[in-house]
Amino acid sequence: MFATIIMQRNCRNWRLDNGACCCVGLKTMDEQENTSSNPRIGSGVRTISDLIEVRLSRRTFVAGLGASAVLPVAACSPTEETPVEVAKSAVFDFPEITRGLDGMHHVAEGYRADILLRWGDPLFADSPAFDPFAQTAEAQERQFGYNNDYVGYWPLEETEGGRGRGLLCVNHEYTSTPLMFPGLAGRKPTGEECAVELAAHGGTVVEIKQGADGLWETVVASPYNRRITAGSTPMELTGPVAGDPRVQTSEDPSGRRVMGTMNNCAGGITPWGTYLMAEENFNGNFLGSLEGGHPETESYARYGIPGGWYNWGVFVDRFDVSKEPNEPNRFGWVVEVDILDPQSTPKKRTALGRFKHEGAESIIAPDGRVVVYMGDDQRFDYVYKYVSTQVYTLDDREANMDLLEDGTLYVARFDDDGTVVWLPLIFGEGPLTPENGFQSQADVLIDTRLAADAVGATPMDRPEDVEPHPTNGRVYVMLTNNIDRTADQIDAANPRANNDVGHIIEIIEPEGDFAATESRWEILVRCGDPTDPEAGATWNSATSENGWFGSPDNCAIDPSGRLWVSTDGNQVTGAADGLWALATDGEERGAGQAFFRTPVGAELCGPRFTKDGKSLFLAVQHPGDGDDATFEAPMTRWPDFAEGQPPRPSVMVIRRNDGGTIGS
Ligand code: FEO
Ligand code: CA
Ligand code: CA
Ligand code: CA
């Protein structure tokens, strides 16, 4: 079972009848993220002899724990959670759940976890009922999409009695083709199935409201509700790249109008109430090949284009690079959506760079400029921040709507002495000149990775979420894993070879100045099993046998300023992915505490707290997926457990049974 779980992380796409991936001879999603395309790797970017001093977090240390309890995969039905006693935490107060892996979700005792939205749920008065045996693109365009990832929440005016009401913004990262469609064995997806997939990517904006009992429900037919998809939502390309010849296509000679967004992983809600959708593994959706000597050859190689993971290019010319070689340059951006105007055209903000964007969390610097933190999720890729040129205007939404149009993009160099140097990516500065292949700022941004290579950024262990803390001036960087790092490639910020469980870095911005060009960093925790000396984990000794984890991916800061981390890949440790509370201050700094875990096959995304700290939204992504999992034979039929029906990625809402503050 353990081996199966490890293998399932490497294949989330449809398969041929022999069980091979659709992309025989090519790489699937996690394999792509897990494979570096950074040409600096292997050429001795940094070696062990370069290390001046390997910095260890000064307040963390390995905990001595008993053996972990790994539960077998159980039948696909709800199971009762047995609370375990943990030492009283000064930071978090809830009974931990136990480590384990089965077909059901589990939440800490005293809490309830309710399904809010499932793949296929209606969003509009005319949405057809979910019928996985008769899927059409038209229906999917009117229903909640697949593989929910980022969850944002923007409050609207409260309803009577102070009950919450607001807009939930949810990204749909990708489609797990073998789990979505029946009867796929022995054949490739049809044109209609590919059209359904295009409609299942993107995002959803949906109004939700709280009842008298504190529980949440969707407001079907709210005028705010909107599906944003890869197949049907026109977008405007804005910023320095707009109109550039490298983004012009036969469908769009202007280079300013793109159809759709896709692979929307994490994201952000800006202080002025727009929704940022990060485009991550866009490369995988393209088929075909470039003719020899094509000018995009080097750029394509750095992004892994074309990935060939999907069949779309067979039916839609723009996904075949032989026919439309510039189409991939129109993806890999951060999209900004005005959620208060459902008729608005989403804008691809090219000033924020082009890479496999994991998320885009923003904050206002003391001088009023907006700062957006971003990770590029692939082994040996980089951490970025964007700093706007103009300043934020309080209580004037209109004045802030183009703050992401003009600014400076920086990439991080993590020095071994604990300094972060933010290196600007500006055409004409340093190596970003015509002699090195950059003719304009548009080139620098289309080839953000090549520009970051050139200025000497630090290759990291797969950066996922990067989250600024709203009050303490720190920033948390989730580094999910990198088993390709060899002993001679370790550095102080990526201190382990064969890092299969990841670590979390804390950036300390000087005096809370998020726009600073020089910061400090330290490692908050090296993840993994603290009982295994080989693992090199560094948890606070207050961490119980359930409180440690691997593969941090998304995170959230709750209204009390406490950090919560969700995982994607903890199954390599033999237990489910889930949500952990993680102390960042005081004597418990570096202590984890297990709160929620997913059903087998899933990773956990979101997480998002409401401002009162009493509701928590979680996104359970790809439940039931596995190396040989199909629509007919998933690893779980969560959450409906209906015979013959597939599992459904779903957003859940967590509440304390007594309505109190979560985690306190
Ligand atoms: Fe889509 Fe980096 O996880
Ligand atoms: Ca994901
Ligand atoms: Ca992620
Ligand atoms: Ca991930």
Side-chain angles (χ1 to χ4, degrees):
M1 198 65 249
F2 184 67
T4 303
I5 296 299
I6 291 173
M7 289 183 68
Q8 80 184 45
R9 301 172 60 233
N10 293 327
C11 188
R12 292 174 183 166
N13 296 284
W14 58 273
R15 298 162 179 84
L16 306 176
D17 54 339
N18 62 2
C21 292
C22 56
C23 35
V24 176
L26 295 172
K27 290 186 169 57
T28 53
M29 181 169 303
D30 267 12
E31 283 176 316
Q32 282 278 349
E33 289 169 339
N34 286 341
T35 305
S36 173
S37 67
N38 189 333
R40 301 167 66 212
I41 300 307
S43 58
V45 177
R46 303 179 77 183
T47 67
I48 190 76
S49 59
D50 296 324
L51 294 179
I52 302 163
E53 175 194 14
V54 175
R55 300 176 69 251
L56 295 176
S57 174
R58 62 177 184 265
R59 283 169 288 183
T60 54
F61 45 93
V62 177
L65 303 175
S68 62
V70 179
L71 303 180
V73 174
C76 301
S77 60
T79 54
E80 290 300 315
E81 187 50 51
T82 310
V84 293
E85 288 301 316
V86 291
K88 183 79 174 167
S89 166
V91 185
F92 297 100
D93 184 10
F94 62 84
E96 278 198 298
I97 60 167
T98 50
R99 283 173 62 76
L101 184 63
D102 59 45
M104 190 54 192
H105 66 270
H106 300 263
V107 68
E109 189 189 31
Y111 291 80
R112 57 182 297 159
D114 295 295
I115 299 288
L116 181 63
L117 278 160
R118 300 163 298 180
W119 165 47
D121 275 348
L123 299 169
F124 308 94
D126 65 352
S127 297
F130 178 62
D131 180 355
F133 293 92
Q135 297 179 56
T136 64
E138 207 175 21
Q140 181 63 85
E141 290 273 351
R142 309 295 285 168
Q143 298 165 335
F144 193 61
Y146 203 85
N147 271 346
N148 32 226
D149 196 303
Y150 176 77
V151 180
Y153 178 71
W154 184 257
L156 299 171
E157 268 179 39
E158 289 181 345
T159 56
E160 201 178 326
R163 293 174 214 152
R165 173 179 165 249
L167 300 180
L168 205 67
C169 303
V170 183
N171 280 352
H172 303 294
E173 185 187 8
Y174 71 101
T175 45
S176 308
T177 319
L179 286 171
M180 278 184 78
F181 301 109
L184 209 59
R187 67 174 178 87
K188 293 184 176 183
T190 63
E192 181 61 25
E193 285 165 339
C194 289
V196 171
E197 292 190 284
L198 284 161
H201 276 243
T204 292
V205 180
V206 58
E207 183 178 339
I208 59 172
K209 68 175 186 186
Q210 216 170 6
D213 53 6
L215 303 183
W216 293 83
E217 62 183 19
T218 57
V219 183
V220 173
S222 159
Y224 291 108
N225 292 1
R226 182 174 193 183
R227 271 307 316 281
I228 295 162
T229 74
S232 74
T233 311
M235 314 243 148
E236 184 185 348
L237 202 60
T238 78
V241 173
D244 189 84
R246 293 180 65 189
V247 291
Q248 295 171 2
T249 66
S250 57
E251 283 179 10
D252 173 35
S254 76
R256 295 173 184 275
R257 193 89 173 158
V258 182
M259 180 54 79
T261 181
M262 57 202 188
N263 303 92
N264 307 89
C265 192
I269 298 288
T270 63
W272 52 98
T274 59
Y275 163 32
L276 302 182
M277 307 169 70
E279 296 182 332
E280 198 191 32
N281 294 296
F282 65 96
N283 59 306
N285 303 330
F286 294 92
L287 291 175
S289 59
L290 289 180
E291 59 196 35
H294 194 283
E296 294 292 345
T297 302
E298 184 192 7
S299 177
Y300 269 35
R302 189 64 179 84
Y303 289 102
I305 304 164
W309 305 345
Y310 291 93
N311 215 25
W312 304 357
V314 171
F315 305 103
V316 185
D317 282 355
R318 67 189 176 108
F319 294 112
D320 180 344
V321 300
S322 322
K323 295 172 180 163
E324 278 296 357
N326 284 347
E327 186 72 2
N329 291 342
R330 293 142 63 85
F331 294 89
W333 304 106
V334 169
V335 179
E336 184 173 21
V337 183
D338 180 356
I339 53 178
L340 298 184
D341 177 6
Q343 307 305 321
S344 61
T345 302
K347 295 180 175 175
K348 296 202 176 193
R349 299 295 193 183
T350 64
L352 277 65
R354 175 170 173 261
F355 42 91
K356 295 184 184 177
H357 281 280
E358 169 71 23
E361 296 284 6
S362 54
I363 196 158
I364 306 298
D367 67 3
R369 289 180 290 170
V370 61
V371 181
V372 185
Y373 289 90
M374 300 172 286
D376 182 354
D377 184 7
Q378 190 156 348
R379 288 181 187 173
F380 299 111
D381 261 290
Y382 307 127
V383 172
Y384 296 84
K385 75 176 173 187
Y386 164 90
V387 181
S388 68
T389 302
Q390 303 300 322
V391 299
Y392 175 73
T393 310
L394 194 64
D395 298 331
D396 186 351
R397 189 167 187 263
E398 256 335 285
N400 299 316
M401 291 301 274
D402 282 321
L403 286 174
L404 304 186
E405 192 65 5
D406 178 32
T408 304
L409 182 64
Y410 297 88
V411 67
R413 191 186 76 210
F414 291 82
D415 290 343
D416 295 338
D417 66 357
T419 306
V420 188
V421 178
W422 294 97
L423 304 159
L425 301 178
I426 299 172
F427 172 67
E429 290 194 8
L432 305 180
T433 58
E435 298 78 62
N436 293 312
F438 300 98
Q439 306 297 333
S440 64
Q441 185 64 17
D443 279 350
V444 168
L445 293 167
I446 291 171
D447 287 316
T448 300
R449 282 183 167 186
L450 293 172
D453 295 344
V455 300
T458 301
M460 308 297 288
D461 286 349
R462 278 188 62 188
E464 300 247 28
D465 256 6
V466 184
E467 181 103 12
H469 191 290
T471 57
N472 72 9
R474 298 183 227 158
V475 181
Y476 296 94
V477 184
M478 305 295 119
L479 297 162
T480 199
N481 58 56
N482 182 357
I483 62 169
D484 285 345
R485 190 176 293 275
T486 56
D488 66 350
Q489 290 171 325
I490 66 171
D491 55 40
N494 300 276
R496 286 185 290 185
N498 188 27
N499 180 9
D500 63 345
V501 284
H503 57 289
I504 298 173
I505 283 181
E506 186 181 63
I507 294 172
I508 304 102
E509 298 288 21
E511 295 174 19
D513 182 5
F514 295 99
T517 54
E518 198 168 298
S519 318
R520 303 288 297 168
W521 69 267
E522 63 180 70
I523 291 178
L524 173 60
V525 66
R526 299 184 192 183
C527 301
D529 183 352
T531 66
D532 176 7
E534 302 271 294
T538 59
W539 298 93
N540 187 295
S541 61
T543 306
S544 82
E545 64 185 296
N546 303 296
W548 64 270
F549 56 83
S551 302
D553 188 328
N554 298 122
C555 66
I557 315 278
D558 72 18
S560 306
R562 301 172 303 179
L563 180 65
W564 300 71
V565 177
S566 67
T567 65
D568 171 18
N570 188 51
Q571 295 178 33
V572 295
T573 74
D577 280 306
L579 184 71
W580 279 261
L582 181 59
T584 56
D585 293 286
E587 291 188 356
E588 293 178 25
R589 177 177 163 87
Q593 196 167 319
F595 181 76
F596 176 92
R597 70 177 209 240
T598 64
V600 64
E603 68 172 275
L604 190 66
C605 305
R608 180 68 45 202
F609 289 87
T610 51
K611 284 206 168 78
D612 63 6
K614 295 178 176 179
S615 298
L616 164 62
F617 302 106
L618 300 176
V620 175
Q621 193 188 77
H622 54 81
D625 201 0
D627 201 30
D628 296 316
T630 61
F631 183 102
E632 288 78 14
M635 295 181 76
T636 175
R637 296 191 189 280
W638 186 94
D640 298 344
F641 300 103
E643 191 54 37
Q645 297 280 317
R648 300 169 75 178
S650 301
V651 171
M652 307 191 77
V653 57
I654 310 291
R655 299 267 302 166
R656 223 168 84 176
N657 289 339
D658 65 3
T661 301
I662 291 170
S664 299

